[in-house]
Amino acid sequence: MADFALARRNMIDGQLRPNRVTNAQLLAAVSDLPRERFLPEGLQSIAYADDDVPLGGGRYLMEPMVLARLIQALQAQPGDHALVVASGRGYGAALLSKLVKSVVAMESDASLAAAAERTVKELALSRIRQVVAPLEGGDGAGGPFDAILIEGAVRQVPQAILGQLAAGGRLTTVVAGPAGVSGVAQLFVKEGDVASARPLFDANTPLLPGFAPPPRFTF
């Protein structure tokens, strides 16, 4: 039987800390949550690998370092209301729930959302509300949000989701590059009516299905 507790400690010491994940509350949340419980049967043995783990249907659980750095960059506060877009089987939402007041976990795949709900219930995580809906529109009814995590790479962050940030709100995701070029993790901060972006680090995160940018007209 795999020693998941040891694997979790090794992940923290070998993948997170050396890659600038320093937030004590976040590291405590990672240490507390059994990442393997958020994966399908048969893939739990690679839960702590330094890689993205397939969930099926073109979806992945993000590489531990990338996900942790995206969450750290959100600068989550105890009173924050957070949204996780493309929440998959719930691991990112579970981490955020340890840092904020409430989390909306938004997922378009009903089977992934159902698996997430089961795990959240089994682990007695009480600050997460699951929503099953198309991802590109975010959760307008549940906003505004102080922190938004898009748990995967996108070509472009939809304006509908950026518009759900509260004043001073933060959004993190990976913006995918052209074929053969690394994507870039980015932090968006809303000031007034404008959300400005700055790059954080390179990341080869798989592209989320369904987040294509709007078509451009050509003449």
Side-chain angles (χ1 to χ4, degrees):
M1 182 177 291
D3 186 341
F4 289 121
L6 176 60
R8 192 153 52 248
R9 289 196 298 272
N10 288 341
M11 179 188 74
I12 292 169
D13 293 338
Q15 298 179 43
L16 304 192
R17 292 185 190 276
N19 284 290
R20 303 180 184 178
V21 180
T22 58
N23 182 278
Q25 289 76 26
L26 174 57
L27 289 171
V30 173
S31 179
D32 186 52
L33 275 176
R35 183 178 164 96
E36 71 277 3
R37 298 279 294 275
F38 295 87
L39 288 175
E41 291 290 336
L43 292 178
Q44 295 181 343
S45 63
I46 58 172
Y48 298 96
D50 186 13
D51 203 355
D52 304 288
V53 181
L55 300 176
R59 300 290 298 280
Y60 293 81
L61 173 58
M62 272 184 165
E63 175 186 342
M65 180 276 288
V66 174
L67 180 58
R69 288 191 67 180
L70 288 177
I71 292 175
Q72 179 172 264
L74 286 173
Q75 299 180 340
Q77 303 299 313
D80 281 353
H81 183 39
L83 170 67
V84 178
V85 178
S87 53
R89 293 177 69 100
Y91 180 68
L95 283 178
L96 260 180
S97 77
K98 299 281 189 177
L99 308 175
V100 301
K101 184 177 182 180
S102 63
V103 177
V104 174
M106 172 165 253
E107 180 48 59
S108 58
D109 185 317
S111 63
L112 292 178
E117 285 198 282
R118 286 194 299 271
T119 305
V120 163
K121 184 176 181 179
E122 290 165 0
L123 297 177
L125 300 172
S126 60
R127 299 176 184 174
I128 302 171
R129 178 171 65 89
Q130 186 76 51
V131 172
V132 179
L135 303 177
E136 299 88 336
D139 183 31
F145 298 97
D146 304 293
I148 299 177
L149 169 68
I150 301 179
E151 203 172 335
V154 297
R155 296 286 184 199
Q156 178 178 307
V157 179
Q159 285 298 319
I161 294 178
L162 287 172
Q164 291 165 23
L165 283 171
R170 295 84 57 202
L171 179 150
T172 56
T173 189
V174 175
V175 177
V181 178
S182 291
V184 178
Q186 295 195 23
L187 168 67
F188 295 76
V189 179
K190 188 170 185 179
E191 298 176 357
D193 294 327
V194 178
S196 57
R198 70 176 179 89
L200 298 172
F201 56 93
D202 291 345
N204 289 313
T205 300
L207 192 64
L208 283 168
F211 271 85
R216 295 180 179 180
F217 292 102
T218 57
F219 298 92

